[in-house]
Amino acid sequence: DGGITQSPKYLFRKEGQNVTLSCEQNLNHDAMYWYRQDPGQGLRLIYYSQIVNDFQKGDIAEGYSVSREKKESFPLTVTSAQKNPTAFYLCASSIDPPATSGRALGDEQFFGPGTRLTVL
Amino acid sequence: RKEVEQDPGPFNVPEGATVAFNCTYSNSASQSFFWYRQDCRKEPKLLMSVYSSGNEDGRFTAQLNRASQYISLLIRDSKLSDSATYLCVITGGSYIPTFGRGTSLIVHP
């Protein structure tokens, strides 16, 4: 079955450590996204990538880094520079972002199950 | 004014009730509109796309009002299993989706 996976489901980090969250999709989607969700809040965009070897900062990119070396993979690194990293991290993908598809409507985003990161 | 705004609720309704949520947006150039459902501690899942002509899927009806810049979600004959948070997602001129903070629905017996 096609889908999007994230690992690990739960992650604990000591202050000052970098950690990398995995996101893999086998849906052949071009676009991938990373969001952060805090309790009682909506999703905030960290980074997104529309194509391999290219990615853009979202609204809250400071303290995070990403890479997109393969179409299927979009790992997120939470660095020690992120002041308040404890949150629920969600990865998503979509077939083709409107900017490159030329279509008027955006495409549905498919989400992975998320990673809960806790800083000890 | 925030780009996308939702009443966080919670909306507390009995089984069988009809309930409606609205989501307002500030960017008049917004092009695509969605409602997602998110269960507690789970990922969001697409509930409905919202088309200009409106659309219906069983007990769920979504509508778009471009003049007043809002979308709506109507749930008829509420079930206990409808209890969740409903997120609106709107893509504006930047083509990047913006999420509302969600509206919590609690359906009780």
Side-chain angles (χ1 to χ4, degrees), chain A residues 37-110:
Chain A
Q37 187 175 35
D38 294 283
Q41 302 297 316
L43 278 65
R44 292 186 290 168
L45 184 64
I46 304 173
Y47 269 98
Y48 65 98
S49 169
Q50 296 177 325
I51 197 169
V52 174
N53 291 324
D54 185 57
F55 49 82
Q56 306 296 329
K57 292 182 179 180
D59 300 320
I60 55 166
E62 185 175 352
Y64 300 98
S65 66
V66 293
S67 63
R68 187 85 187 277
E69 297 177 1
K70 298 187 299 182
K71 188 174 185 178
E72 301 80 16
S73 179
F74 191 40
L76 173 75
T77 296
V78 184
T79 75
S80 56
Q82 169 50 233
K83 301 299 182 191
N84 185 21
T86 295
F88 186 37
Y89 290 87
L90 288 157
C91 180
S93 69
S94 61
I95 294 173
D96 193 19
T100 58
S101 70
R103 295 192 292 269
L105 291 178
D107 285 307
E108 171 191 1
Q109 289 182 303
F110 291 81

Side-chain angles (χ1 to χ4, degrees), chain B residues 69-86:
Chain B
Q69 294 185 202
Y70 73 89
I71 62 172
S72 64
L73 177 67
L74 180 78
I75 305 175
R76 290 180 295 276
D77 189 23
S78 299
K79 311 291 184 190
L80 295 177
S81 58
D82 293 333
S83 297
T85 297
Y86 293 84

Side-chain angles (χ1 to χ4, degrees), chain B residues 2-54:
Chain B
K2 291 183 180 178
E3 277 191 70
V4 176
E5 290 200 67
Q6 289 183 259
D7 180 347
F11 285 63
N12 205 320
V13 303
E15 273 187 290
T18 295
V19 61
F21 313 132
N22 284 344
C23 173
T24 60
Y25 60 95
S26 59
N27 187 347
S28 59
S30 295
Q31 296 190 21
S32 57
F33 310 87
F34 303 94
W35 282 103
Y36 280 74
R37 170 190 169 130
Q38 185 176 26
D39 292 295
C40 187
R41 302 179 72 82
K42 299 286 189 180
E43 73 274 22
K45 293 185 178 178
L46 182 70
L47 179 65
M48 299 181 77
S49 301
V50 188
Y51 305 120
S52 297
S53 56

